[in-house]
Amino acid sequence: MTTTITQPTARLPAPSPLPGTGPDIALPVESRAFHALHHHAYLAYATAHTPTGADNLIRDTFGTLAVNWATLLRSPNPTAAAWDHVAAHIARHTPRLTLHTISPLHYQLTVLHHLAGLSAITAADTTGCDHSTARTLLRTPYHSSTAEQERRRSR
């Protein structure tokens, strides 16, 4: 029995580096598309928690997502898996806002929609949950402290 090895005829385009202050890292096109799609929403969520440190938090988060990109893609819902990492990273580095919500997802959707000003659909797409779940949770009342209400008004 002989084995024949054939060379692939088509090659994927070489990944291009993302510009930044650190070393240039070549990322797959899918990772760059994911970054372009979610960066604004991730930054809005982080900014709601810490207006001055949000950029660094999101840069760190995307770095971790890039390192774990292959594992992330193997998850049943890569968007939700990425969001879980983002939300956990922000929670570890910032104080929780004084919102009284019924679940972690309700809290996250409330911050994205009511505080960061994203649409319900964008908030759902950002967290990886289905649109009907997001709409239902966003119809559920939440309560914020007086300080949180003042913070929203000052934006």
Side-chain angles (χ1 to χ4, degrees):
M1 173 179 196
T2 59
T3 303
T4 305
I5 299 174
T6 55
Q7 296 297 324
T9 56
R11 293 188 181 261
L12 293 175
S16 62
L18 288 176
T21 57
D24 287 335
I25 299 171
L27 297 174
V29 69
E30 298 88 357
S31 177
R32 288 183 284 130
F34 187 88
H35 180 274
L37 183 63
H38 293 288
H39 183 265
H40 173 73
Y42 288 6
L43 185 59
Y45 185 81
T47 300
H49 289 86
T50 177
T52 58
D55 285 329
N56 288 334
L57 280 173
I58 297 308
R59 188 176 303 113
D60 292 347
T61 300
F62 273 110
T64 301
L65 293 177
V67 168
N68 296 294
W69 186 248
T71 302
L72 184 69
L73 289 180
R74 286 192 296 272
S75 69
N77 185 339
T79 301
W83 174 254
D84 289 345
H85 174 76
V86 170
H89 185 71
I90 292 169
R92 280 192 303 275
H93 292 87
T94 65
R96 179 175 160 80
L97 301 176
T98 51
L99 300 174
H100 304 284
T101 56
I102 61 171
S103 70
L105 181 60
H106 184 213
Y107 172 85
Q108 295 159 5
L109 290 167
T110 298
V111 171
L112 287 167
H113 181 64
H114 294 293
L115 299 181
L118 303 179
S119 71
I121 299 300
T122 301
D125 291 343
T126 299
T127 61
C129 78
D130 61 85
H131 297 170
S132 62
T133 298
R135 283 191 296 270
T136 298
L137 285 172
L138 288 170
R139 278 191 224 112
T140 304
Y142 74 96
H143 306 284
S144 63
S145 71
T146 304
E148 207 57 54
Q149 291 169 357
E150 288 300 317
R151 182 175 164 184
R152 280 190 294 179
R153 280 190 214 122
S154 68
R155 289 186 172 178

